Amino acid sequence: MNLGNPIASGNTASIYLEEGNVIKIFNELLPCGEAGYEADKQKLAYSAGLPVPKILEVKKIEGKQAIIMEYVQGKTLGELISDSPGDTGHYMDLSVDIQLKIHSMKIDGLEPMKRKLANQIKGAGELSQRLKDVLINKLEKITFEGRLCHGDFHLNNLIMSEGGSVTIIDWIDSSSGDIRADAYRTYLLYSQISLELAELYLRSYCQKSGLSKEEIFIWAPIVAGARLSESVSNENSQRLLAIVNKYCP
């Protein structure tokens, strides 16, 4: 199959457009079953009635795992902000409304957040064993009602069509967990790019959810520590370690 050049590429997969569908082809080094694992999570979100691309097929293409799904035409909210910076507040508020809708849901069958974060912390090579033990102890002590958490929620995972509807993409990191942790994860992702954008998000989320910054930030060292395991090329591991050490002296 000649797919041409990808329309997007990331740490785990490349995205192609073929006959009106999106084909996500996973890197060879990923574990067997990764495509099915991600597809199942997206199907759960779709079945809950959320605006999510429909999964059409999971298969192998030239020996590589692949997911074929609906193509959603439009621009991400991040792209719309780049086109019109004056509308940043509007699009951020819209994104928070969407995240709160996600957070209102309970879905059976999703990976538990605590297990996911614990595994990530254990696999973070930059963390000492002492810090791993401290973080996992903190994680076990936090109590919460399990809600749907996207796990990678930000403006570039929200696509707005010409009609104004918004589709939520990239569900691989979703879990059943604490919405405060999901909110901190979003804050952490924004603060990597712009502290001003991160604070704008946090103010909107706190105002609309009724949660305080302090309630959300109890998750700061745990989420930052877990992110160290992701080996994201444009993330500063020293920044993440500094957050962990601030809360775990």
Side-chain angles (χ1 to χ4, degrees):
M1 179 183 290
N2 183 14
L3 295 173
N5 295 322
I7 59 173
S9 295
N11 286 340
T12 61
S14 295
I15 309 296
Y16 298 85
L17 189 59
E18 173 75 8
E19 296 181 353
N21 294 323
V22 165
I23 301 179
K24 183 172 186 175
I25 298 184
F26 290 76
N27 298 341
E28 291 177 307
L29 296 178
L30 291 174
C32 181
E34 188 75 8
Y37 176 67
E38 178 171 340
D40 286 344
K41 287 190 171 188
Q42 192 161 316
K43 287 176 182 177
L44 283 171
Y46 182 88
S47 68
L50 288 168
V52 174
K54 184 178 181 180
I55 299 292
L56 302 175
E57 189 177 4
V58 178
K59 61 185 293 186
K60 282 197 172 183
I61 296 177
E62 297 178 356
K64 297 179 181 179
Q65 301 177 73
I67 300 174
I68 301 175
M69 68 186 86
E70 288 180 317
Y71 171 60
V72 179
Q73 190 167 10
K75 288 187 173 183
T76 68
L77 297 195
E79 289 171 328
L80 292 172
I81 285 175
S82 294
D83 293 343
S84 180
D87 292 328
T88 299
H90 165 70
Y91 289 121
M92 184 62 79
D93 283 345
L94 175 60
S95 75
V96 169
D97 289 339
I98 293 167
Q99 190 175 28
L100 288 173
K101 182 177 180 180
I102 294 171
H103 287 170
S104 71
M105 295 183 171
K106 294 181 179 179
I107 297 182
D108 294 331
L110 272 174
E111 179 181 15
M113 177 185 281
K114 279 192 173 182
R115 184 176 69 194
K116 183 176 186 295
L117 290 174
N119 287 337
Q120 288 179 307
I121 289 167
K122 290 173 185 176
E126 292 92 340
L127 292 173
S128 67
Q129 189 58 52
R130 182 192 74 83
L131 284 174
K132 290 179 182 181
D133 292 342
V134 170
L135 290 175
I136 290 174
N137 185 52
K138 284 180 177 289
L139 175 62
E140 291 302 322
K141 287 182 176 179
I142 298 177
T143 59
F144 56 86
E145 180 183 29
R147 297 278 180 170
L148 176 60
C149 295
H150 183 276
D152 194 27
F153 190 88
H154 53 77
L155 294 163
N156 287 324
N157 276 337
L158 300 170
I159 300 175
M160 178 175 281
S161 67
E162 287 188 5
S165 61
V166 178
T167 301
I168 314 157
I169 61 172
D170 285 353
W171 287 86
I172 183 59
D173 292 313
S174 61
S175 65
S176 175
D178 191 335
I179 64 174
R180 298 171 298 177
D182 203 42
Y184 183 79
R185 165 79 177 191
T186 299
Y187 175 88
L188 185 67
L189 295 175
Y190 286 144
S191 65
Q192 174 190 349
I193 302 165
S194 164
L195 187 58
E196 182 180 0
L197 191 68
E199 291 295 333
L200 176 66
Y201 161 77
L202 189 64
R203 286 194 299 272
S204 180
Y205 188 89
C206 288
Q207 180 181 20
K208 289 174 178 287
S209 68
L211 292 169
S212 68
K213 176 178 179 178
E214 291 72 25
E215 289 175 292
I216 292 169
F217 271 55
I218 65 168
W219 281 96
I222 297 167
V223 174
R227 183 158 171 78
L228 281 166
S229 71
E230 297 176 32
S231 301
V232 180
S233 59
N234 62 348
E235 176 61 275
N236 184 345
S237 61
Q238 293 306 309
R239 176 181 89 103
L240 298 176
L241 280 170
I243 295 171
V244 173
N245 285 313
K246 177 181 177 181
Y247 292 90
C248 306

